[in-house]
C-alpha cells in the first residue's frame, strides 16, 4: 500500500542564468509589472546552466519519498528520448514508477527556466504529454488503498480529471490534498465547488486564491498582515471563503511574506525561513508536499507542519533544481535548532 500518490506533470527542466539579464519594472497608478529582458538581436552569454527533472507531480513525489512516505506517481511522458531518462531518475529516488503513463506519440514536457540575478525566474513551458492525461489512463483500482492523493497543477485536457479524482477520493475515504494551479482555477469558483468540498488540504498562492475568490488584497491594509497580532482582513476573507464543511485546512502562500493556514478556528502565520535564494523554482512544491507529509507524520499538527514546510522550501531555493535542495526531517530539525527565534504565530479566528 502506498502512503501517497501524486498526480500531475513530469518535465525536463533546463536552467539558464545570465548576468546580462535586466529586470525592467513598468508602473501605473494601480499596477506594477516586472519583466526580464535581454538585448534584442544579440548573443547573450550564459553564466550558469543545468538540466534537471521537474514537474509538480515529480517534485512532490520525490519529496514525499525523501520524507519517508511510500510514494507512487501518475504522470504522462511522451514518445521520445527524454521519457526513459525521467523514469530512470524517478526510480533511482525510490519513487514507484508502475503508474507512469507512456504515450505512443508526442513529446514529454519540457521547460526552459530563465533565472535572474535576484533568484526569481521566468519559465518557458511546453506541456507536452502532461496536458493529455485521461480517465482511461489511470488504473483507479490500484489506488483504492492509498492514504493520500496529492493533486499537483494539471494542464490542458488533464484538468477534466479533477472531478473524477475528487469523487474517487471521497468514495474511498482517501485524504485529498489539492494544489490546483492557475490554469484550472481560471475555470471559476462554480467549477471548483465540488472539488474543494472533497479536499482535506487546499493549497494556493495568494494570486491563485484571489483569482478563485475574486477577493483582492487591498494595499491600504497590507501592513496589517505583517503585524505581530493582526491577520490581514482580506486574507481572512479568502481563507474563510475557501474552507469547506469537512473540517478542511486552507493554506495560502505569499512568497517572501511567508504563509498562513486556517482550520476554521485558528490562523497559523509562518514567516519566510531565512535562505540565500538561488532559484525559486520548486519552492511551492517543496512547501506544499512537506506540509502534507508533516500533517501525516505529526498527527495533524498544523503549527509544526507549516514550520517544517517553510524550512524545506527555504532549503530548496538555495540551489538550482526543484529537488536538489530538499532535506529530511532530521535536517529540518537541525536548521530549526540553529534558528531558535523562528516562530509560527497562532491567532484565534
Amino acid at each position: 500500500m502506498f502512503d501517497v500518490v501524486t498526480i500531475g506533470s513530469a518535465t525536463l527542466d533546463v536552467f539558464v542564468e545570465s548576468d546580462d539579464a535586466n529586470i525592467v519594472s513598468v508602473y501605473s497608478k494601480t499596477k506594477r509589472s516586472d519583466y526580464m529582458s535581454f538585448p534584442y538581436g544579440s548573443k547573450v552569454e550564459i553564466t550558469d546552466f543545468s538540466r534537471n527533472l521537474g514537474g509538480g507531480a515529480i517534485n512532490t513525489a520525490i519529496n514525499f519519498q525523501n520524507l519517508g512516505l511510500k510514494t507512487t506517481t501518475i504522470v504522462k511522458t511522451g514518445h521520445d528520448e527524454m521519457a526513459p531518462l525521467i523514469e530512470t531518475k524517478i526510480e533511482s529516488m525510490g519513487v514507484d514508477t508502475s503508474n507512469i503513463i507512456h504515450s505512443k506519440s508526442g513529446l514529454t514536457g519540457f521547460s526552459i527556466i530563465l533565472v535572474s540575478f535576484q533568484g526569481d525566474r521566468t519559465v518557458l513551458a511546453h506541456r507536452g504529454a502532461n496536458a493529455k492525461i485521461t480517465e482511461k489512463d489511470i488504473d483507479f483500482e490500484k489506488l483504492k488503498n492509498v492514504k493520500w492523493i496529492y493533486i499537483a497543477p494539471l494542464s490542458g485536457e488533464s484538468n477534466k480529471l479533477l472531478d473524477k479524482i475528487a469523487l474517487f477520493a471521497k468514495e474511498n475515504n482517501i485524504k485529498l490534498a489539492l494544489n490546483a494551479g492557475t490554469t484550472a482555477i481560471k475555470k471559476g469558483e462554480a467549477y471548483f465547488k465540488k472539488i474543494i468540498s472533497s479536499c482535506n488540504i487546499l493549497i494556493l498562492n495568494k494570486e491563485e486564491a484571489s483569482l478563485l475568490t475574486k477577493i483582492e488584497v487591498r494595499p491600504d491594509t497590507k501592513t496589517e498582515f505583517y503585524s505581530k497580532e493582526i491577520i490581514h482582513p482580506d486574507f481572512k476573507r479568502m481563507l474563510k471563503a475557501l474552507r469547506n464543511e469537512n473540517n478542511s485546512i486552507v493554506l495560502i502562500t505569499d512568497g517572501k511574506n511567508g504563509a498562513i493556514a486556517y482550520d476554521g478556528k485558528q490562523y497559523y502565520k509562518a514567516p519566510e525561513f531565512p535562505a540565500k535564494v538561488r532559484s525559486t523554482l520548486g519552492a511551492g512544491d517543496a512547501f506544499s508536499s512537506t506540509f502534507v507529509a508533516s500533517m501525516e507524520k505529526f498527527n495533524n499538527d498544523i503549527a509544526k507542519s507549516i514550520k517544517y514546510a517553510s524550512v524545506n522550501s527555504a532549503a530548496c531555493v538555495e540551489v538550482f533544481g526543484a529537488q536538489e535542495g530538499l532535506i529530511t526531517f532530521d535536517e529540518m530539525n537541525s536548521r530549526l535548532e540553529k534558528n531558535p527565534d523562528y516562530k509560527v504565530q497562532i491567532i484565534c479566528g
Side-chain angles (χ1 to χ4, degrees), residues 259-276:
I260 183 167
Y262 178 61
D263 64 358
K265 297 179 180 178
Q266 294 177 312
Y267 299 94
Y268 302 80
K269 190 167 71 170
E272 181 185 43
F273 193 80
K276 294 181 179 179

Side-chain angles (χ1 to χ4, degrees), residues 255-259 269-274 287 306 310 342-345:
K256 294 179 180 179
N257 299 315
K269 190 167 71 170
E272 181 185 43
F273 193 80
F287 188 99
I306 199 171
S310 300
Y342 183 80
K343 306 291 182 183
V344 171
Q345 293 178 304

